[in-house]
Amino acid sequence: MSGQGEFALIARHFAPLTKGVPLAFGLTDDAAMLKPRKGQALVVTADAIVEGVHYLPDDPPETIARKLLRVNLSDLAAKGATPRAYLLTAAFPRDVKEPWIAAFARGLKQDQAHFGVHLLGGDTVATPGPATFSLTAIGEVPGARMLRRSGARPGDLVCVSGTIGDGGFGLAELRQPHPDLTDAQRRFLIARYRIPQPRTRLGPSLLGLASAALDVSDGLIQDLGHIARQSGVGLSIDAAAVPLSPAGLAIARGDPPARLRALSAGDDYEIAFTVPKARLKAMEAAAAKARIRVSVIGRVMKGQGVTVLGPDGTPFEAGPGGFDHFGR
Ligand SMILES: [Mg+2]
């Protein structure tokens, strides 16, 4: 994939993704331009995925592309940023077939329309190794008010959007179907794993309300540990208050430890955040307006680390590497 082949591929499959963004110059120049709107600061984040590490070689190319874009939009959402554009660097295996690339670009096109973002630029190369994709997403926040991990204060409430554990349960379904699930529940969990739902409507509405925030990608407890560390506080989480989906509940009914596994499974792409009590009502109103469920799952305290109160009321210390406490 070099010379004319590469240019033709870019022109056929990726240049159309810049439609509506004149300053991308149809991917025909060395660089693109992006002007922040008046009073806005740009927020930038990047994530890469590798075949065989972050996805399976036979995963559908559409969902690989959509997940790549969505995990980055999830980071923007957790920072309160509204997504605008993205850069994509794609390293395709030398023997990749063009229909695979076409399907990958179709997945991007579908989600661009859904989230109102456009391809701005990037690079396409051939690699002797596994397929590797790096996406840089660019969003905007008013002023310089990006939500940080460092603002939680003792007395604040700990909250999370949506439901937790579905991505992990979905990955488990792909390996071995759970006997207690209906087909619809199984499809729901696998979709949650393959096509995350970045909370792009909720995130910007948390600006000025949340004191700290991040997106849940590596497991709720591990990620909350970042807020605890960066804020210099301790977090106390009530495991029973962590929201599970109906499918997650169906699994936890016959297997109570599944509730704790959900707390450490990855691929949730929800927003975990803290909010001062005085702003709880305003936050709930903002979440209702964004039509995103938000649950209060714990409290910020003086101290350090994340303490989880299990279903039996026993506290676990769940610091770095605390997964062992959940018997994983
Ligand atoms: Mg993140």
Side-chain angles (χ1 to χ4, degrees), residues 28-225:
T28 59
D29 212 313
D30 299 295
M33 291 172 65
L34 182 65
K35 282 192 214 163
R37 286 171 299 180
K38 199 163 188 285
Q40 307 276 316
L42 295 179
V43 177
V44 183
T45 184
D47 240 321
I49 56 172
V50 178
E51 176 187 319
V53 180
H54 301 94
Y55 67 91
L56 303 171
D58 57 352
D59 279 348
E62 287 93 339
T63 65
I64 295 166
R66 294 172 74 194
K67 185 165 184 174
L68 174 66
L69 179 57
R70 285 167 179 241
V71 300
N72 279 283
L73 297 185
S74 176
D75 273 320
L76 288 183
K79 301 297 97 185
T82 302
R84 280 202 56 193
Y86 67 96
L87 303 166
L88 172 69
T89 295
F92 293 106
R94 285 188 185 131
D95 60 353
V96 68
K97 301 284 183 285
E98 188 163 347
W100 200 99
I101 297 176
F104 185 89
R106 258 199 317 277
L108 291 174
K109 186 179 179 193
Q110 185 180 348
D111 271 0
Q112 285 194 182
H114 186 73
F115 292 105
V117 292
H118 294 279
L119 179 64
L120 195 59
D123 198 9
T124 306
V125 296
T127 172
T132 302
F133 304 99
S134 173
L135 193 141
T136 301
I138 305 164
E140 281 179 342
V141 288
R145 293 195 304 151
M146 185 181 101
L147 293 172
R148 303 284 311 276
R149 295 176 170 184
S150 52
R153 296 292 171 259
D156 290 356
L157 299 168
V158 181
C159 305
V160 72
S161 66
T163 55
I164 292 298
D166 297 326
F169 291 137
L171 177 60
E173 276 306 292
L174 286 170
R175 292 177 175 149
Q176 187 174 9
H178 195 288
D180 296 349
L181 294 179
T182 65
D183 280 351
Q185 287 172 329
R186 182 162 191 270
R187 277 198 303 275
F188 167 81
L189 292 176
I190 292 172
R192 287 278 282 161
Y193 172 69
R194 282 188 168 154
I195 310 172
Q197 303 294 328
R199 302 309 185 184
T200 51
R201 281 202 313 274
L202 176 66
S205 72
L206 295 178
L207 287 170
L209 297 175
S211 49
L214 48 54
D215 80 319
V216 183
S217 53
D218 298 332
L220 178 66
I221 299 305
Q222 181 171 331
D223 285 328
L224 284 176

Side-chain angles (χ1 to χ4, degrees), residues 261-303:
R261 282 206 306 280
L263 303 190
S264 56
D267 286 298
D268 288 313
Y269 300 104
E270 296 292 349
I271 302 178
F273 60 99
T274 57
V275 63
K277 273 185 189 141
R279 296 186 204 146
L280 178 64
K281 284 272 172 292
M283 183 280 291
E284 285 173 341
K289 201 171 166 204
R291 279 189 253 132
I292 303 293
R293 169 183 176 176
V294 168
S295 307
V296 176
I297 59 169
R299 288 181 307 118
V300 182
M301 306 171 307
K302 286 189 180 138

